Amino acid sequence: MSLIQAINSETTPLNGQSRYSSQNGTFNIVFELSGGANQMIDLNSIRLLSQVQFLKSNGQHFNNYNIYSNNIDPAGGNVAAGGIAPAFSTANCDFYDIDCRTALSSAINTIIFQDAESNVLEAVYSYPHLMNKVGPMSLSKDDQLSWTSHIYGCKTGGRQLQNQYALNSTYDASIKIYSGLTQSKPMPFSAVRGKLKIILTLNAASATLFGGANTAATMGIGGANNPAASSYFNLDNVKLVYRTLILDEQAPILKQGYSYKHFSSLQSTINNSNNQNIYNPNATNAISVLTSFVRSDALNSYNANSVASNKLQKSVGGEPTDVDIRSINFLKNNVRFPNAFPIDERVYNQNNNDYRAYDAQRSYYFMSTLTPLSMLNNTLIQPSTEGNDSLQCGGYEECEEPDDIPVYGAGIRYGNVSMNDGTNFTNGQSFLQRIESELDGTLVNEMFSNVLSTKRIVATPSGPVVFN
């Protein structure tokens, strides 16, 4: 069997319309990709193309630190030399933004893949909360500034020119659809009975956009005059592009089956100092589990970044305050596994300048969830980015959002050698994650977990069947 030809294809939604606007609610955008028995789809090639607008409630573009305009209020003596108004005034300027790690991916809430008979192959819920972990743990700063820049669906934060371009004009974007399935090897169309369905559910605007007064402690918190309130986004001329591979004979699904990666999504709450969450992944080969956090009152709020992956937070004097995780245990059926010891964050390195280093144990296991650390050579996470007040994720350093660490979480990896050396969580076998922290019940936090596993499609007399 050999490759004869690769064809670049594009398709429009089955429920095609010229504009999908979050002002009118959420939408399901449904695509169908079809092919013959001698054809395969290059899953990693799938991109969502669209023209994008981010608009204020009155339908106008924002003027986010637009250095080419003259509407900045220089009151309070904040005037540059020569009496020229500065590009922005940290004392008087409002702003609005989207998360710089996920960017336009924040506009997608759910991704579901189905075969021709609507059997679900993969369903990723709370998609931005997966992407806010995947981006920093798998991209470099060069990636962020080049092929995943604002033109291709990502941007940086706050005062960047990229931010002005992305939020203050209509622009073309190309978004890579990331999931377990799209990171798998090419799929024979015969494995999905000739048709792969992709259903994208758009997010609410309040979960995508946020803003506030650009001043110190109120940066991003918003308030009575929050400029992001009632803002929305439009997606125009939406289409999907992908690559079809044509073989010189029938694809091998009928001979040996097809294995692919798979994400499943879990959400739970945590508000006490000794928290245990029990999941039933129902996976025969779980490769890893990765979890990030965000305080509950930040969800679906124009006043806060709804997809931030910050540290756990409690309330001190009515203000959200970061707290440390003391230790983490991972258990399988109430037995510590794969580690027979807790991951204790109270054990840390101390630099020569007496500053505390990042949480070495937790970071080591968390960063290894997508790629074994020994193989990791491309990431935005560094020792400095995991430390408090180190904002090194693309434009986050310029954005200067307090207490918004690029990515923070807990996780464990089971498969370190191949796709087939994970662990079995079927027949009621449970995964338990125990977190001891400095939480005191004053703030409720959300835990967004993703289980990466493998599934297999096997041919039977009645057609292909998906097995966990």
Side-chain angles (χ1 to χ4, degrees):
M1 182 181 65
S2 59
L3 176 67
I4 297 178
Q5 186 180 8
I7 300 176
N8 295 321
S9 308
E10 68 176 50
T11 183
T12 56
L14 292 183
N15 52 338
Q17 57 192 67
S18 60
R19 168 168 292 177
Y20 297 90
S21 176
S22 65
Q23 191 178 38
N24 300 324
T26 59
F27 292 90
N28 286 340
I29 306 178
V30 183
F31 297 95
E32 286 189 354
L33 284 55
S34 303
N38 67 328
Q39 296 180 346
M40 305 173 75
I41 176 172
D42 181 0
L43 297 165
N44 196 251
S45 69
I46 298 175
R47 301 289 189 276
L48 179 71
L49 271 58
S50 176
Q51 289 181 314
V52 184
Q53 293 178 311
F54 297 99
L55 303 172
K56 295 189 291 187
S57 57
N58 62 5
Q60 296 179 346
H61 288 285
F62 262 78
N63 185 16
N64 242 23
Y65 302 134
N66 191 338
I67 64 173
Y68 302 109
S69 73
N70 205 14
N71 71 338
I72 300 298
D73 179 8
N78 190 5
V79 179
I84 301 172
F88 58 85
S89 164
T90 57
N92 300 291
C93 291
D94 291 333
F95 88 115
Y96 99 149
D97 205 0
I98 55 179
D99 185 86
C100 76
R101 297 155 298 185
T102 58
L104 190 55
S105 295
S106 297
I108 300 173
N109 179 265
T110 304
I111 299 178
I112 298 176
F113 295 89
Q114 297 178 343
D115 67 11
E117 297 183 3
S118 299
N119 297 309
V120 175
L121 306 177
E122 183 181 30
V124 181
Y125 300 96
S126 301
Y127 180 68
H129 292 277
L130 170 63
M131 291 306 298
N132 74 13
K133 297 186 282 286
V134 167
M137 290 197 292
S138 60
L139 299 179
S140 69
K141 290 183 180 180
D142 288 339
D143 292 334
Q144 186 97 344
L145 294 174
S146 57
W147 67 275
T148 60
S149 71
H150 66 297
I151 296 293
Y152 301 100
C154 284
K155 66 168 192 62
T156 54
R159 304 167 189 167
Q160 299 277 349
L161 283 173
Q162 286 187 354
N163 171 279
Q164 296 173 30
Y165 181 85
L167 289 178
N168 304 324
S169 61
T170 301
Y171 72 106
D172 294 322
S174 173
I175 310 171
K176 181 176 182 178
I177 302 299
Y178 183 96
S179 74
L181 187 67
T182 59
Q183 303 310 302
S184 305
K185 60 187 178 182
M187 170 184 279
F189 274 104
S190 54
V192 288
R193 299 171 171 85
K195 185 180 298 181
L196 178 66
K197 298 180 184 178
I198 303 176
I199 304 172
L200 305 178
T201 302
L202 295 186
N203 219 347
S206 58
T208 304
L209 298 158
F210 63 96
N214 183 24
T215 56
T218 61
M219 175 72 169
I221 294 177
N225 298 313
N226 182 359
S230 300
S231 56
Y232 61 99
F233 60 86
N234 293 333
L235 302 182
D236 296 326
N237 303 320
V238 177
K239 62 182 68 173
L240 205 70
V241 296
Y242 60 98
R243 184 179 299 112
T244 299
L245 307 178
I246 300 178
L247 309 176
D248 60 356
E249 62 179 276
Q250 184 171 299
I253 175 62
L254 298 178
K255 302 175 183 177
Q256 61 187 38
Y258 174 79
S259 294
Y260 65 92
K261 295 179 181 178
H262 172 274
F263 274 112
S264 56
S265 309
L266 307 163
Q267 180 181 351
S268 55
T269 59
I270 174 174
N271 63 0
N272 55 62
S273 59
N274 191 343
N275 182 86
Q276 297 187 76
N277 285 84
I278 302 176
Y279 311 129
N280 294 103
N282 192 33
T284 56
N285 190 52
I287 297 173
S288 61
V289 182
L290 55 162
T291 299
S292 61
F293 313 102
V294 62
R295 70 178 193 274
S296 300
D297 61 5
L299 296 179
N300 297 311
S301 171
Y302 283 114
N303 291 334
N305 183 347
S306 297
V307 300
S309 56
N310 45 250
K311 300 181 75 170
L312 290 170
Q313 296 182 328
K314 66 181 180 181
S315 179
V316 176
E319 293 294 325
T321 304
D322 290 347
V323 302
D324 286 330
I325 292 176
R326 294 172 182 154
S327 66
I328 304 171
N329 279 288
F330 299 99
L331 299 92
K332 179 180 178 181
N333 285 350
N334 293 319
V335 177
R336 284 179 180 168
F337 179 81
N339 299 328
F341 54 87
I343 298 173
D344 195 339
E345 293 200 0
R346 289 165 291 188
V347 179
Y348 59 86
N349 299 321
Q350 189 155 315
N351 298 328
N352 293 332
N353 57 7
D354 292 330
Y355 283 109
R356 172 178 170 169
Y358 72 118
D359 302 322
Q361 281 193 321
R362 178 199 53 78
S363 181
Y364 171 82
Y365 289 107
F366 182 53
M367 290 173 62
S368 299
T369 52
L370 292 174
T371 304
L373 197 61
S374 61
M375 300 169 59
L376 196 61
N377 60 7
N378 209 28
T379 175
L380 288 173
I381 300 180
Q382 312 160 14
S384 62
T385 65
E386 284 271 314
N388 292 334
D389 302 320
S390 295
L391 309 175
Q392 302 278 330
C393 180
Y396 258 58
E397 188 175 42
E398 279 196 56
C399 186
E400 294 181 359
E401 295 188 45
D403 304 320
D404 225 346
I405 296 172
V407 64
Y408 183 92
I412 196 71
R413 184 177 180 88
Y414 298 103
N416 291 311
V417 179
S418 69
M419 288 180 59
N420 301 311
D421 70 340
T423 191
N424 192 316
F425 282 109
T426 55
N427 300 319
Q429 297 184 78
S430 63
F431 165 81
L432 187 150
Q433 183 174 245
R434 179 183 179 184
I435 297 177
E436 294 184 71
S437 69
E438 297 173 7
L439 290 179
D440 58 7
T442 55
L443 264 184
V444 179
N445 292 258
E446 298 295 318
M447 299 172 57
F448 289 90
S449 300
N450 297 95
V451 179
L452 177 61
S453 60
T454 60
K455 286 191 172 184
R456 187 172 181 82
I457 299 176
V458 179
T460 69
S462 58
V465 175
V466 178
F467 290 97
N468 283 332

